[in-house]
Each structure stands twice: as C-alpha cells, then as structure tokens.
Amino acid sequence: PVAKTAIEKADSNAEKLSFIVEEMSAVVGGIKTGVKRIVKVVDSLKAFSRKESAEKIPFNLLDSLETALVLCKRVMNNNVVVDKKILESSFCVLGDSQQIEQVLINLFVNATDAMEGQKDAKITIDIRDVNGAITMRVYDNGPGISQETLEKLWEPFFTTKEAGKGTGLGLPIVRSIIEGHNGQIDVQNRAEGGLEFIIQLPAYANGD
Ligand SMILES: Nc1ncnc2c1ncn2[C@@H]1O[C@H](COP(=O)(O)OP(=O)(O)OP(=O)(O)O)[C@@H](O)[C@H]1O
Ligand SMILES: [Mg+2]
C-alpha cells in the first residue's frame, strides 16, 4: 500500500506538471507582452524627462516633417491622405530636430488612430511664419474629442486606447518637447470636425 500511494502521488504530480507545461507558453507570452509594455513606458519616460539635455542646433522644420512622414508611412498604411499647406521652402528652428520629429510622429500616429476605419481620413499640415513665429497647424478630419477628454488630454498616462495599446505619454512628451524649444502648443476641435494642434516655435534667424 505504501508503494501504491507513492505511485499515485507521482501520478498526480506528473499531472500537475503536464498542466504547468501546457500553460507555460501562454504564461511566457504574457510575460513577453508585459515586458514589451514596460520597455515602451520606460522609453517614453526617458523621452519625457530628457527635455533640456539635448544640444541645440539650427535645422529646417520641413526636413523633420519629411522624416516624420517617412517613419509614419507604415502606420498610415495608405489609408490617410497627407495634405501639406506650406508655401516656403525653409523654416529654421533652433533645437533638436529628432525631438521635433518625435512630436510630429506622435501627432500623426494619434490622428491615424483616431481615424481608424474612416474612408476619407486626412491629416493636414499648415506651416507659416506669423510675425517671426513659426506657426504649425496639424489637424485631422476624425471625430475630434469630447470636453471631458479635452480637459485630460495633457495628463501623463491619460489614454482612451485599450490596455496595452496606448501609454498616454504621447501628448505630454509632445508638450514637454515644444516647451523645451521655447514654443507653445494648443489644441482645439475644428468647426468642420476633427482635432487641431497649433504649435508655435520661435523662428531662428542667423545671428540670434
Ligand atoms: N487626433 C486625435 N483625435 C482624437 N483623439 C485624440 C487625438 N490625439 C489624441 N487623442 C486622444 O488623446 C489621448 C491621449 O493621447 P496620447 O498620445 O497622449 O496617448 P495615447 O495615444 O493614448 O498613447 P501613446 O501615445 O502613449 O501610445 C488618446 O488616447 C486619444 O483619446
Ligand atoms: Mg499617442
């Protein structure tokens, strides 16, 4: 009988073990997803706290725009039309062009997400010099946002996206970068529908 219980015990342990083995791949998958998410949040937080550290170099805002558009091409996936209303060939800004690319990428990805499944999805970028201030409007023809969302839009970790998709750090990073460039950013719903971001950056003139 002792041997019998030992065998039974071994059997039930084996059963437990096989159960663990079966679950293992799902568990590992869950861990991988979790780690990916943590990496994303940590990267975002790094970008968020970087602010002043970058070296300031003059660059053409239109070059950053082109780079951002190339990097967003896959996300936009031919579903989003990009309309550029830009009359000049150069808008010189003093700062970190990669950070400004990051700003544009965050805005483009947000707009693309907001217009998911929409047929006539369009992002418009309007850049002009208004009395020495570079004024860049980035707007979409998506659903816009409610008053409630508008009030929380700049809060770190505020997101309406499903868990695992958005971290809610995109717009806080955008604002922190623009302010780090002595600029300003505002947001409003458009009368025609869609959301509009208005960014003002000091124009850099030689000898500044
Ligand atoms: N163009 C837009 N149209 C409609 N809603 C928007 C738009 N841009 C941002 N939002 C709203 O603002 C929220 C916050 O945006 P934010 O970029 O800070 O975070 P996220 O996109 O949710 O996540 P993350 O950028 O960190 O991946 C979004 O979840 C969305 O609800
Ligand atoms: Mg975002």
Side-chain angles (χ1 to χ4, degrees):
V2 176
K4 205 183 163 212
T5 0
I7 288 166
E8 268 169 13
K9 222 175 176 184
D11 262 356
S12 97
N13 279 344
E15 222 168 89
K16 272 186 211 151
L17 264 178
S18 75
F19 175 71
I20 290 168
V21 170
E22 269 165 35
E23 294 290 299
M24 204 46 116
S25 101
V27 170
V28 170
I31 291 169
K32 274 191 192 156
T33 310
V35 169
K36 271 190 201 150
R37 188 163 156 70
I38 290 166
V39 167
K40 203 179 155 199
V41 171
V42 170
D43 279 349
S44 300
L45 284 170
K46 275 195 211 149
F48 191 31
S49 57
R50 216 183 285 133
K51 251 193 232 175
E52 301 294 338
S53 55
E55 203 186 337
K56 288 187 158 58
I57 294 168
F59 65 93
N60 183 357
L61 178 60
L62 300 186
D63 293 336
S64 303
L65 172 62
E66 287 316 310
T67 306
L69 286 173
V70 168
L71 293 173
C72 286
K73 218 179 160 155
R74 263 176 62 117
V75 177
M76 294 184 185
N77 191 23
N78 290 327
N79 296 322
V80 182
V81 173
V82 175
D83 185 10
K84 285 183 266 184
K85 295 187 192 292
I86 303 164
L87 293 176
E88 288 172 57
S89 61
S90 169
F91 290 93
C92 194
V93 174
L94 184 68
D96 180 343
S97 60
Q98 282 190 13
Q99 286 190 357
I100 298 298
E101 283 158 23
Q102 184 68 61
V103 164
L104 291 166
I105 290 165
N106 289 3
L107 296 183
F108 296 158
V109 171
N110 280 348
T112 303
D113 286 347
M115 298 188 289
E116 201 186 329
Q118 193 178 310
K119 248 186 161 181
D120 56 346
K122 184 163 114 179
I123 294 174
T124 308
I125 304 132
D126 178 321
I127 311 180
R128 57 185 79 186
D129 191 311
V130 182
N131 305 322
I134 298 169
T135 306
M136 172 164 61
R137 293 171 183 273
V138 177
Y139 56 87
D140 59 65
N141 58 348
I145 52 174
S146 66
Q147 186 61 35
E148 212 188 338
T149 302
L150 188 65
E151 278 160 24
K152 297 189 187 126
L153 204 66
W154 303 104
E155 280 175 21
F157 300 109
F158 170 77
T159 181
T160 58
K161 293 170 189 173
E162 60 191 84
K165 199 164 182 242
T167 57
L169 285 170
L171 287 177
I173 289 168
V174 162
R175 173 171 250 176
S176 125
I177 290 174
I178 295 301
E179 288 175 352
H181 284 74
N182 302 317
Q184 198 182 310
I185 182 162
D186 293 296
V187 65
Q188 62 184 37
N189 279 310
R190 286 172 65 77
E192 306 87 331
L195 197 62
E196 173 172 73
F197 289 87
I198 304 132
I199 295 173
Q200 283 169 300
L201 288 167
Y204 177 75
N206 264 343
D208 267 15

